[in-house]
Amino acid sequence: MKFTETNLKDAYLIELEPRGDDRGFFARTMCRDEFSRRRLDSDFVQQNTSFSVQRGTLRGLHFQKPPYGEDKLVRCLNGAIVDVIVDIRADSETYMQHQMFELTSRNRLQLYVPKGFAHSFMTLEDNTEVSYLVTSYYAPQAEDGLRYDDEALGIEWPLSVTVVSDKDTRWPLIAERHGALY
């Protein structure tokens, strides 16, 4: 695997290194030793899958508040997404900055999202499936999020939103929040 640092501190884009022959290819998608060398948490406890029927479906920006924060390893298995992460760690040099990445079933890129980041994605194709490993179990009492359309974030989504959950439209704006997010 090839690890590339992103513009946001502690987040990585991971490229698979396929080994192929006439049958196809084989590639590692996670290796504890390689993650440990970069001081990345690889103690994944749960794997989640998201399937979206319609292009323009938006999910997020989600995070779990401490002590239930989770690292994520995100991969698009079918279709394509634009994945957006926002650093919400108050003590980070990249606090409140965001970056977006195109993850597709064709490019097979993965994104390592550390604790203290809000995470979201928008589907770029119909029938898109995303899988992600997480280092903490889902804790409903710790669930939180940012509004995908909060002007304070300045995220320019590549498509119009066609489907979004009611919950994701009701997260408070940053200007309405008091105290640190994470």
Side-chain angles (χ1 to χ4, degrees), residues 3 24 31 43 67 80 98 101 115-116 123-124 129-130 134 154 159 170 177:
F3 290 74
C31 175
D43 189 17
H98 74 273
F101 307 87
K115 292 173 186 69
T123 60
L124 301 175
E129 185 171 4
V130 176
V134 294
L159 303 173
R170 290 192 309 263
R177 292 178 177 262

Side-chain angles (χ1 to χ4, degrees), residues 41-139:
D41 192 353
S42 63
D43 189 17
F44 299 110
V45 298
Q46 189 171 300
Q47 183 171 11
N48 303 314
T49 296
S50 168
F51 179 79
S52 301
V53 173
Q54 193 171 347
R55 177 180 190 249
T57 298
L58 191 135
R59 298 176 185 267
L61 293 149
H62 302 145
F63 62 96
Q64 289 196 157
K65 295 180 280 193
Y68 302 98
E70 56 190 1
D71 299 86
K72 296 178 182 178
L73 183 59
V74 184
R75 184 169 178 223
C76 184
L77 301 177
N78 189 60
I81 63 171
V82 62
D83 199 300
V84 175
I85 56 175
V86 179
D87 187 348
I88 58 172
R89 302 169 299 176
D91 62 346
S92 172
E93 62 199 44
T94 57
Y95 177 65
M96 295 310 288
Q97 293 178 30
H98 74 273
Q99 192 171 355
M100 58 177 54
F101 307 87
E102 190 169 315
L103 307 180
T104 74
S105 57
R106 292 166 296 288
N107 69 20
R108 296 186 178 91
L109 294 173
Q110 298 183 114
L111 183 62
Y112 180 84
V113 183
K115 292 173 186 69
F117 278 68
H119 174 251
S120 181
F121 63 85
M122 172 183 269
T123 60
L124 301 175
E125 298 178 8
D126 291 343
N127 302 313
T128 292
E129 185 171 4
V130 176
S131 179
Y132 51 101
L133 298 168
V134 294
T135 58
S136 292
Y137 296 104
Y138 173 65

